[in-house]
Amino acid sequence: MKKISSLIALSLLSASLLLGSVQAESSLSAIPGELSQIQQQWATVKYQQSGKTQEQAFAELVSAAQAAVKAHPEDARYLIWEGIIRATYAGSVGGLDALSEVKTAKKLFEQALKQDEKALDGSAYTSLGSLYYQVPGWPVGFGSDKKAREYLLKGLEVNPDGIDSNYFYGDFLLQQKEYKAAVAVLEKALLAPPRPGREDADAGRRQEIEQALTKARSKIKS
């Protein structure tokens, strides 16, 4: 039980699923209205709420995303967003429920890749990669640095200039102590153009990039 609790203490999924869709398809004009509403609600809950209020809001958003997937079973974009929401929810709920949510998110991303690996500009690759490096490995979880690198690089192949694809690969490199490489990738993430309709998500993401850059640069100097 102690190890499982440590899984959540890593804040794994509060970082990992800032991942909303990247670049072109993240604009609200490029995706269905129902999905854009889910994106907006996610950003509000993630960046403007906390504690029990946030936990309850995420639980409600999980239900909404699940219903949307049932209504659009062949659309990989809905699968990706249910996975994103479940993974972020896991970061706030804690305990055994969090581990269950993480595993469900993983399955959703894998299913999305089978349906359309380029949906939301490869977000399923980046989302899955972020899970692999933030979740502990066996016997507690399914984490794997090797798989993380593989999926994150595939996400970059699909979306080389995206803010999310670059942020998560840069953060992974930081965790791997590849500090100079991390700085280069994170600086590229900051150059990503703003995503129309995703202002809250972009603002939160840029704060995380700046924090990661500060840490990576300090490691290079030390």
Side-chain angles (χ1 to χ4, degrees), residues 108-128:
L108 288 163
F109 296 140
E110 291 170 340
Q111 186 178 348
L113 287 174
K114 290 178 181 179
Q115 288 189 8
D116 182 0
E117 62 182 10
K118 294 185 178 180
L120 298 177
D121 291 338
S123 285
Y125 280 128
T126 302
S127 300
L128 193 54

mmCIF file with all atom_site columns, all heavy atoms in Angstrom, residues 108-128:
data_model
loop_
_atom_site.group_PDB
_atom_site.id
_atom_site.type_symbol
_atom_site.label_atom_id
_atom_site.label_alt_id
_atom_site.label_comp_id
_atom_site.label_asym_id
_atom_site.label_entity_id
_atom_site.label_seq_id
_atom_site.pdbx_PDB_ins_code
_atom_site.Cartn_x
_atom_site.Cartn_y
_atom_site.Cartn_z
_atom_site.occupancy
_atom_site.B_iso_or_equiv
_atom_site.pdbx_formal_charge
_atom_site.auth_seq_id
_atom_site.auth_comp_id
_atom_site.auth_asym_id
_atom_site.auth_atom_id
_atom_site.pdbx_PDB_model_num
ATOM 1   N N   . LEU A 1 108 ? -7.013  3.464  -22.992 1.00 0.00 ? 108 LEU A N   1
ATOM 2   C CA  . LEU A 1 108 ? -7.691  4.388  -23.905 1.00 0.00 ? 108 LEU A CA  1
ATOM 3   C C   . LEU A 1 108 ? -6.728  4.945  -24.940 1.00 0.00 ? 108 LEU A C   1
ATOM 4   O O   . LEU A 1 108 ? -7.060  5.045  -26.125 1.00 0.00 ? 108 LEU A O   1
ATOM 5   C CB  . LEU A 1 108 ? -8.340  5.517  -23.106 1.00 0.00 ? 108 LEU A CB  1
ATOM 6   C CG  . LEU A 1 108 ? -9.580  5.129  -22.303 1.00 0.00 ? 108 LEU A CG  1
ATOM 7   C CD1 . LEU A 1 108 ? -9.883  6.185  -21.240 1.00 0.00 ? 108 LEU A CD1 1
ATOM 8   C CD2 . LEU A 1 108 ? -10.785 4.948  -23.223 1.00 0.00 ? 108 LEU A CD2 1
ATOM 9   N N   . PHE A 1 109 ? -5.528  5.305  -24.517 1.00 0.00 ? 109 PHE A N   1
ATOM 10  C CA  . PHE A 1 109 ? -4.535  5.815  -25.462 1.00 0.00 ? 109 PHE A CA  1
ATOM 11  C C   . PHE A 1 109 ? -4.134  4.735  -26.464 1.00 0.00 ? 109 PHE A C   1
ATOM 12  O O   . PHE A 1 109 ? -3.972  5.007  -27.660 1.00 0.00 ? 109 PHE A O   1
ATOM 13  C CB  . PHE A 1 109 ? -3.297  6.323  -24.719 1.00 0.00 ? 109 PHE A CB  1
ATOM 14  C CG  . PHE A 1 109 ? -3.565  7.493  -23.825 1.00 0.00 ? 109 PHE A CG  1
ATOM 15  C CD1 . PHE A 1 109 ? -2.954  7.589  -22.575 1.00 0.00 ? 109 PHE A CD1 1
ATOM 16  C CD2 . PHE A 1 109 ? -4.419  8.521  -24.203 1.00 0.00 ? 109 PHE A CD2 1
ATOM 17  C CE1 . PHE A 1 109 ? -3.191  8.668  -21.742 1.00 0.00 ? 109 PHE A CE1 1
ATOM 18  C CE2 . PHE A 1 109 ? -4.673  9.609  -23.378 1.00 0.00 ? 109 PHE A CE2 1
ATOM 19  C CZ  . PHE A 1 109 ? -4.052  9.669  -22.141 1.00 0.00 ? 109 PHE A CZ  1
ATOM 20  N N   . GLU A 1 110 ? -3.977  3.516  -25.994 1.00 0.00 ? 110 GLU A N   1
ATOM 21  C CA  . GLU A 1 110 ? -3.615  2.415  -26.886 1.00 0.00 ? 110 GLU A CA  1
ATOM 22  C C   . GLU A 1 110 ? -4.723  2.150  -27.905 1.00 0.00 ? 110 GLU A C   1
ATOM 23  O O   . GLU A 1 110 ? -4.456  1.890  -29.085 1.00 0.00 ? 110 GLU A O   1
ATOM 24  C CB  . GLU A 1 110 ? -3.322  1.157  -26.063 1.00 0.00 ? 110 GLU A CB  1
ATOM 25  C CG  . GLU A 1 110 ? -2.038  1.263  -25.237 1.00 0.00 ? 110 GLU A CG  1
ATOM 26  C CD  . GLU A 1 110 ? -1.872  0.128  -24.247 1.00 0.00 ? 110 GLU A CD  1
ATOM 27  O OE1 . GLU A 1 110 ? -2.880  -0.538 -23.910 1.00 0.00 ? 110 GLU A OE1 1
ATOM 28  O OE2 . GLU A 1 110 ? -0.744  -0.088 -23.786 1.00 0.00 ? 110 GLU A OE2 1
ATOM 29  N N   . GLN A 1 111 ? -5.958  2.222  -27.446 1.00 0.00 ? 111 GLN A N   1
ATOM 30  C CA  . GLN A 1 111 ? -7.090  2.037  -28.357 1.00 0.00 ? 111 GLN A CA  1
ATOM 31  C C   . GLN A 1 111 ? -7.151  3.151  -29.387 1.00 0.00 ? 111 GLN A C   1
ATOM 32  O O   . GLN A 1 111 ? -7.423  2.911  -30.577 1.00 0.00 ? 111 GLN A O   1
ATOM 33  C CB  . GLN A 1 111 ? -8.396  2.002  -27.560 1.00 0.00 ? 111 GLN A CB  1
ATOM 34  C CG  . GLN A 1 111 ? -9.626  1.669  -28.395 1.00 0.00 ? 111 GLN A CG  1
ATOM 35  C CD  . GLN A 1 111 ? -10.890 1.599  -27.563 1.00 0.00 ? 111 GLN A CD  1
ATOM 36  O OE1 . GLN A 1 111 ? -10.843 1.584  -26.325 1.00 0.00 ? 111 GLN A OE1 1
ATOM 37  N NE2 . GLN A 1 111 ? -12.045 1.584  -28.217 1.00 0.00 ? 111 GLN A NE2 1
ATOM 38  N N   . ALA A 1 112 ? -6.875  4.367  -28.947 1.00 0.00 ? 112 ALA A N   1
ATOM 39  C CA  . ALA A 1 112 ? -6.877  5.506  -29.872 1.00 0.00 ? 112 ALA A CA  1
ATOM 40  C C   . ALA A 1 112 ? -5.808  5.328  -30.956 1.00 0.00 ? 112 ALA A C   1
ATOM 41  O O   . ALA A 1 112 ? -6.040  5.647  -32.125 1.00 0.00 ? 112 ALA A O   1
ATOM 42  C CB  . ALA A 1 112 ? -6.641  6.799  -29.104 1.00 0.00 ? 112 ALA A CB  1
ATOM 43  N N   . LEU A 1 113 ? -4.650  4.831  -30.572 1.00 0.00 ? 113 LEU A N   1
ATOM 44  C CA  . LEU A 1 113 ? -3.580  4.615  -31.546 1.00 0.00 ? 113 LEU A CA  1
ATOM 45  C C   . LEU A 1 113 ? -3.972  3.577  -32.588 1.00 0.00 ? 113 LEU A C   1
ATOM 46  O O   . LEU A 1 113 ? -3.615  3.696  -33.756 1.00 0.00 ? 113 LEU A O   1
ATOM 47  C CB  . LEU A 1 113 ? -2.292  4.180  -30.836 1.00 0.00 ? 113 LEU A CB  1
ATOM 48  C CG  . LEU A 1 113 ? -1.570  5.280  -30.053 1.00 0.00 ? 113 LEU A CG  1
ATOM 49  C CD1 . LEU A 1 113 ? -0.396  4.692  -29.277 1.00 0.00 ? 113 LEU A CD1 1
ATOM 50  C CD2 . LEU A 1 113 ? -1.080  6.371  -31.002 1.00 0.00 ? 113 LEU A CD2 1
ATOM 51  N N   . LYS A 1 114 ? -4.717  2.573  -32.181 1.00 0.00 ? 114 LYS A N   1
ATOM 52  C CA  . LYS A 1 114 ? -5.172  1.559  -33.127 1.00 0.00 ? 114 LYS A CA  1
ATOM 53  C C   . LYS A 1 114 ? -6.175  2.144  -34.121 1.00 0.00 ? 114 LYS A C   1
ATOM 54  O O   . LYS A 1 114 ? -6.218  1.741  -35.286 1.00 0.00 ? 114 LYS A O   1
ATOM 55  C CB  . LYS A 1 114 ? -5.805  0.385  -32.374 1.00 0.00 ? 114 LYS A CB  1
ATOM 56  C CG  . LYS A 1 114 ? -4.803  -0.448 -31.591 1.00 0.00 ? 114 LYS A CG  1
ATOM 57  C CD  . LYS A 1 114 ? -5.504  -1.574 -30.833 1.00 0.00 ? 114 LYS A CD  1
ATOM 58  C CE  . LYS A 1 114 ? -4.513  -2.397 -30.036 1.00 0.00 ? 114 LYS A CE  1
ATOM 59  N NZ  . LYS A 1 114 ? -5.180  -3.492 -29.272 1.00 0.00 ? 114 LYS A NZ  1
ATOM 60  N N   . GLN A 1 115 ? -6.972  3.089  -33.646 1.00 0.00 ? 115 GLN A N   1
ATOM 61  C CA  . GLN A 1 115 ? -7.991  3.687  -34.515 1.00 0.00 ? 115 GLN A CA  1
ATOM 62  C C   . GLN A 1 115 ? -7.394  4.733  -35.449 1.00 0.00 ? 115 GLN A C   1
ATOM 63  O O   . GLN A 1 115 ? -7.717  4.776  -36.637 1.00 0.00 ? 115 GLN A O   1
ATOM 64  C CB  . GLN A 1 115 ? -9.102  4.306  -33.667 1.00 0.00 ? 115 GLN A CB  1
ATOM 65  C CG  . GLN A 1 115 ? -9.990  3.298  -32.984 1.00 0.00 ? 115 GLN A CG  1
ATOM 66  C CD  . GLN A 1 115 ? -11.202 3.950  -32.338 1.00 0.00 ? 115 GLN A CD  1
ATOM 67  O OE1 . GLN A 1 115 ? -11.463 5.136  -32.510 1.00 0.00 ? 115 GLN A OE1 1
ATOM 68  N NE2 . GLN A 1 115 ? -11.960 3.175  -31.590 1.00 0.00 ? 115 GLN A NE2 1
ATOM 69  N N   . ASP A 1 116 ? -6.555  5.600  -34.887 1.00 0.00 ? 116 ASP A N   1
ATOM 70  C CA  . ASP A 1 116 ? -5.993  6.692  -35.690 1.00 0.00 ? 116 ASP A CA  1
ATOM 71  C C   . ASP A 1 116 ? -4.791  7.264  -34.953 1.00 0.00 ? 116 ASP A C   1
ATOM 72  O O   . ASP A 1 116 ? -4.931  8.107  -34.071 1.00 0.00 ? 116 ASP A O   1
ATOM 73  C CB  . ASP A 1 116 ? -7.045  7.784  -35.918 1.00 0.00 ? 116 ASP A CB  1
ATOM 74  C CG  . ASP A 1 116 ? -6.525  8.926  -36.790 1.00 0.00 ? 116 ASP A CG  1
ATOM 75  O OD1 . ASP A 1 116 ? -5.362  8.876  -37.217 1.00 0.00 ? 116 ASP A OD1 1
ATOM 76  O OD2 . ASP A 1 116 ? -7.298  9.877  -37.032 1.00 0.00 ? 116 ASP A OD2 1
ATOM 77  N N   . GLU A 1 117 ? -3.605  6.829  -35.333 1.00 0.00 ? 117 GLU A N   1
ATOM 78  C CA  . GLU A 1 117 ? -2.408  7.234  -34.593 1.00 0.00 ? 117 GLU A CA  1
ATOM 79  C C   . GLU A 1 117 ? -2.087  8.724  -34.736 1.00 0.00 ? 117 GLU A C   1
ATOM 80  O O   . GLU A 1 117 ? -1.345  9.284  -33.936 1.00 0.00 ? 117 GLU A O   1
ATOM 81  C CB  . GLU A 1 117 ? -1.202  6.412  -35.033 1.00 0.00 ? 117 GLU A CB  1
ATOM 82  C CG  . GLU A 1 117 ? -0.823  6.586  -36.489 1.00 0.00 ? 117 GLU A CG  1
ATOM 83  C CD  . GLU A 1 117 ? 0.343   5.717  -36.895 1.00 0.00 ? 117 GLU A CD  1
ATOM 84  O OE1 . GLU A 1 117 ? 0.735   4.849  -36.091 1.00 0.00 ? 117 GLU A OE1 1
ATOM 85  O OE2 . GLU A 1 117 ? 0.880   5.898  -37.999 1.00 0.00 ? 117 GLU A OE2 1
ATOM 86  N N   . LYS A 1 118 ? -2.661  9.372  -35.737 1.00 0.00 ? 118 LYS A N   1
ATOM 87  C CA  . LYS A 1 118 ? -2.384  10.786 -35.943 1.00 0.00 ? 118 LYS A CA  1
ATOM 88  C C   . LYS A 1 118 ? -3.492  11.699 -35.401 1.00 0.00 ? 118 LYS A C   1
ATOM 89  O O   . LYS A 1 118 ? -3.429  12.916 -35.568 1.00 0.00 ? 118 LYS A O   1
ATOM 90  C CB  . LYS A 1 118 ? -2.159  11.071 -37.428 1.00 0.00 ? 118 LYS A CB  1
ATOM 91  C CG  . LYS A 1 118 ? -0.894  10.412 -37.969 1.00 0.00 ? 118 LYS A CG  1
ATOM 92  C CD  . LYS A 1 118 ? -0.622  10.809 -39.412 1.00 0.00 ? 118 LYS A CD  1
ATOM 93  C CE  . LYS A 1 118 ? 0.666   10.173 -39.913 1.00 0.00 ? 118 LYS A CE  1
ATOM 94  N NZ  . LYS A 1 118 ? 0.952   10.561 -41.324 1.00 0.00 ? 118 LYS A NZ  1
ATOM 95  N N   . ALA A 1 119 ? -4.463  11.121 -34.744 1.00 0.00 ? 119 ALA A N   1
ATOM 96  C CA  . ALA A 1 119 ? -5.554  11.938 -34.189 1.00 0.00 ? 119 ALA A CA  1
ATOM 97  C C   . ALA A 1 119 ? -5.002  12.974 -33.224 1.00 0.00 ? 119 ALA A C   1
ATOM 98  O O   . ALA A 1 119 ? -4.090  12.686 -32.434 1.00 0.00 ? 119 ALA A O   1
ATOM 99  C CB  . ALA A 1 119 ? -6.559  11.040 -33.464 1.00 0.00 ? 119 ALA A CB  1
ATOM 100 N N   . LEU A 1 120 ? -5.539  14.189 -33.290 1.00 0.00 ? 120 LEU A N   1
ATOM 101 C CA  . LEU A 1 120 ? -5.064  15.288 -32.458 1.00 0.00 ? 120 LEU A CA  1
ATOM 102 C C   . LEU A 1 120 ? -3.551  15.428 -32.552 1.00 0.00 ? 120 LEU A C   1
ATOM 103 O O   . LEU A 1 120 ? -2.844  15.622 -31.567 1.00 0.00 ? 120 LEU A O   1
ATOM 104 C CB  . LEU A 1 120 ? -5.509  15.103 -31.009 1.00 0.00 ? 120 LEU A CB  1
ATOM 105 C CG  . LEU A 1 120 ? -7.022  15.095 -30.779 1.00 0.00 ? 120 LEU A CG  1
ATOM 106 C CD1 . LEU A 1 120 ? -7.340  14.834 -29.311 1.00 0.00 ? 120 LEU A CD1 1
ATOM 107 C CD2 . LEU A 1 120 ? -7.648  16.409 -31.206 1.00 0.00 ? 120 LEU A CD2 1
ATOM 108 N N   . ASP A 1 121 ? -3.057  15.292 -33.776 1.00 0.00 ? 121 ASP A N   1
ATOM 109 C CA  . ASP A 1 121 ? -1.625  15.457 -34.055 1.00 0.00 ? 121 ASP A CA  1
ATOM 110 C C   . ASP A 1 121 ? -0.743  14.574 -33.179 1.00 0.00 ? 121 ASP A C   1
ATOM 111 O O   . ASP A 1 121 ? 0.275   15.011 -32.641 1.00 0.00 ? 121 ASP A O   1
ATOM 112 C CB  . ASP A 1 121 ? -1.222  16.923 -33.902 1.00 0.00 ? 121 ASP A CB  1
ATOM 113 C CG  . ASP A 1 121 ? -1.818  17.807 -34.992 1.00 0.00 ? 121 ASP A CG  1
ATOM 114 O OD1 . ASP A 1 121 ? -2.168  17.275 -36.056 1.00 0.00 ? 121 ASP A OD1 1
ATOM 115 O OD2 . ASP A 1 121 ? -1.925  19.016 -34.770 1.00 0.00 ? 121 ASP A OD2 1
ATOM 116 N N   . GLY A 1 122 ? -1.140  13.313 -33.050 1.00 0.00 ? 122 GLY A N   1
ATOM 117 C CA  . GLY A 1 122 ? -0.309  12.351 -32.329 1.00 0.00 ? 122 GLY A CA  1
ATOM 118 C C   . GLY A 1 122 ? -0.360  12.455 -30.820 1.00 0.00 ? 122 GLY A C   1
ATOM 119 O O   . GLY A 1 122 ? 0.525   11.944 -30.134 1.00 0.00 ? 122 GLY A O   1
ATOM 120 N N   . SER A 1 123 ? -1.402  13.068 -30.286 1.00 0.00 ? 123 SER A N   1
ATOM 121 C CA  . SER A 1 123 ? -1.489  13.247 -28.829 1.00 0.00 ? 123 SER A CA  1
ATOM 122 C C   . SER A 1 123 ? -1.478  11.928 -28.062 1.00 0.00 ? 123 SER A C   1
ATOM 123 O O   . SER A 1 123 ? -0.999  11.872 -26.930 1.00 0.00 ? 123 SER A O   1
ATOM 124 C CB  . SER A 1 123 ? -2.751  14.026 -28.463 1.00 0.00 ? 123 SER A CB  1
ATOM 125 O OG  . SER A 1 123 ? -2.610  15.385 -28.768 1.00 0.00 ? 123 SER A OG  1
ATOM 126 N N   . ALA A 1 124 ? -2.003  10.861 -28.658 1.00 0.00 ? 124 ALA A N   1
ATOM 127 C CA  . ALA A 1 124 ? -2.020  9.578  -27.940 1.00 0.00 ? 124 ALA A CA  1
ATOM 128 C C   . ALA A 1 124 ? -0.603  9.074  -27.702 1.00 0.00 ? 124 ALA A C   1
ATOM 129 O O   . ALA A 1 124 ? -0.306  8.502  -26.656 1.00 0.00 ? 124 ALA A O   1
ATOM 130 C CB  . ALA A 1 124 ? -2.833  8.548  -28.718 1.00 0.00 ? 124 ALA A CB  1
ATOM 131 N N   . TYR A 1 125 ? 0.292   9.278  -28.677 1.00 0.00 ? 125 TYR A N   1
ATOM 132 C CA  . TYR A 1 125 ? 1.690   8.889  -28.485 1.00 0.00 ? 125 TYR A CA  1
ATOM 133 C C   . TYR A 1 125 ? 2.306   9.663  -27.321 1.00 0.00 ? 125 TYR A C   1
ATOM 134 O O   . TYR A 1 125 ? 2.954   9.089  -26.440 1.00 0.00 ? 125 TYR A O   1
ATOM 135 C CB  . TYR A 1 125 ? 2.499   9.181  -29.752 1.00 0.00 ? 125 TYR A CB  1
ATOM 136 C CG  . TYR A 1 125 ? 2.363   8.166  -30.850 1.00 0.00 ? 125 TYR A CG  1
ATOM 137 C CD1 . TYR A 1 125 ? 2.035   8.564  -32.137 1.00 0.00 ? 125 TYR A CD1 1
ATOM 138 C CD2 . TYR A 1 125 ? 2.602   6.810  -30.614 1.00 0.00 ? 125 TYR A CD2 1
ATOM 139 C CE1 . TYR A 1 125 ? 1.926   7.636  -33.169 1.00 0.00 ? 125 TYR A CE1 1
ATOM 140 C CE2 . TYR A 1 125 ? 2.495   5.868  -31.641 1.00 0.00 ? 125 TYR A CE2 1
ATOM 141 C CZ  . TYR A 1 125 ? 2.160   6.291  -32.919 1.00 0.00 ? 125 TYR A CZ  1
ATOM 142 O OH  . TYR A 1 125 ? 2.056   5.374  -33.939 1.00 0.00 ? 125 TYR A OH  1
ATOM 143 N N   . THR A 1 126 ? 2.132   10.977 -27.341 1.00 0.00 ? 126 THR A N   1
ATOM 144 C CA  . THR A 1 126 ? 2.723   11.809 -26.304 1.00 0.00 ? 126 THR A CA  1
ATOM 145 C C   . THR A 1 126 ? 2.106   11.508 -24.941 1.00 0.00 ? 126 THR A C   1
ATOM 146 O O   . THR A 1 126 ? 2.815   11.433 -23.924 1.00 0.00 ? 126 THR A O   1
ATOM 147 C CB  . THR A 1 126 ? 2.533   13.297 -26.645 1.00 0.00 ? 126 THR A CB  1
ATOM 148 O OG1 . THR A 1 126 ? 3.124   13.559 -27.924 1.00 0.00 ? 126 THR A OG1 1
ATOM 149 C CG2 . THR A 1 126 ? 3.194   14.184 -25.608 1.00 0.00 ? 126 THR A CG2 1
ATOM 150 N N   . SER A 1 127 ? 0.809   11.321 -24.897 1.00 0.00 ? 127 SER A N   1
ATOM 151 C CA  . SER A 1 127 ? 0.124   11.015 -23.636 1.00 0.00 ? 127 SER A CA  1
ATOM 152 C C   . SER A 1 127 ? 0.623   9.694  -23.057 1.00 0.00 ? 127 SER A C   1
ATOM 153 O O   . SER A 1 127 ? 0.901   9.592  -21.860 1.00 0.00 ? 127 SER A O   1
ATOM 154 C CB  . SER A 1 127 ? -1.384  10.942 -23.865 1.00 0.00 ? 127 SER A CB  1
ATOM 155 O OG  . SER A 1 127 ? -1.893  12.149 -24.348 1.00 0.00 ? 127 SER A OG  1
ATOM 156 N N   . LEU A 1 128 ? 0.727   8.695  -23.925 1.00 0.00 ? 128 LEU A N   1
ATOM 157 C CA  . LEU A 1 128 ? 1.170   7.385  -23.463 1.00 0.00 ? 128 LEU A CA  1
ATOM 158 C C   . LEU A 1 128 ? 2.626   7.444  -23.007 1.00 0.00 ? 128 LEU A C   1
ATOM 159 O O   . LEU A 1 128 ? 2.987   6.869  -21.975 1.00 0.00 ? 128 LEU A O   1
ATOM 160 C CB  . LEU A 1 128 ? 0.995   6.366  -24.594 1.00 0.00 ? 128 LEU A CB  1
ATOM 161 C CG  . LEU A 1 128 ? 1.115   4.885  -24.242 1.00 0.00 ? 128 LEU A CG  1
ATOM 162 C CD1 . LEU A 1 128 ? 0.167   4.509  -23.103 1.00 0.00 ? 128 LEU A CD1 1
ATOM 163 C CD2 . LEU A 1 128 ? 0.818   4.038  -25.478 1.00 0.00 ? 128 LEU A CD2 1
#
